[in-house]
Structures are given as C-alpha cells and as structure tokens.
Amino acid sequence: MDAPIHLSFISGAIAAGYIVAAAFFLRFWARSRDGLFLAFAGAFALMAINQSLPVVLGIPREEQSGIYLLRLAAFILIIGAVLRKNLGSTKD
C-alpha cells in the first residue's frame, strides 16, 4: 500500500530535519572532539533512516516492523552517551 503523497512529503521533511541536526552535531564534534556530539549525530542519522524507510519500502505501520528498532537504537545511543558523559572521568 502506497502512502498518500502528503504523508510522504511530511516524512521526507522530518527526515531532512534529522539530517540537518546530525550535520550540526557532527560539526560540533569536529570542533570539540566530544563523544557526546558524535553520539547525537549518529542518533539523528538513525532517526532519519527510521523516518524515511517506511515510506521508501511502503510499510504502512512502522511499529509493526523491525524498522522500529532503529528508533530504539537511536535512543539507546543517546542514553548511553549521556550516561558516559556524566559518569565518566571527573577531570573534564
């Protein structure tokens, strides 16, 4: 089943927003070499893939497919990076 064109457009716009956020965090990482920014860039890239795959593959319900695991991986990546930053060494 093909998604309506307006849902495909909105999904593409959201995926583009995720890619822009990932690019910003990648740029912050390049300046500071802080692993938290790299983790955020990776998480936003995963969210962009997660947002666009259901439209590209024609999957009507994301939560009933394995694609949902990409979102889970993105949030686990963010949680792990925040915990690592806060529980890591205290010399920063």
Side-chain angles (χ1 to χ4, degrees):
M1 182 169 96
D2 290 332
I5 191 73
H6 66 283
L7 291 179
S8 298
F9 176 78
I10 292 171
S11 182
I14 293 171
Y18 285 139
I19 290 171
V20 168
F24 272 107
F25 280 113
L26 203 56
R27 193 170 120 195
F28 296 148
W29 173 77
R31 284 186 191 167
S32 67
R33 296 293 178 190
D34 188 351
L36 182 67
F37 293 134
L38 186 61
F40 270 81
F44 276 105
L46 285 174
M47 296 287 278
I49 293 169
N50 181 40
Q51 188 67 37
S52 55
L53 272 183
V55 174
V56 171
L57 298 177
I59 298 171
R61 297 187 59 135
E62 171 198 357
E63 64 272 7
Q64 293 180 344
S65 67
I67 295 173
Y68 185 76
L69 295 175
L70 288 172
R71 184 180 301 178
L72 178 66
F75 284 113
I76 288 173
L77 187 61
I78 290 172
I79 291 170
V82 169
L83 288 176
R84 182 171 180 255
K85 178 78 175 181
N86 289 324
L87 300 176
S89 66
T90 58
K91 60 183 175 182
D92 289 337

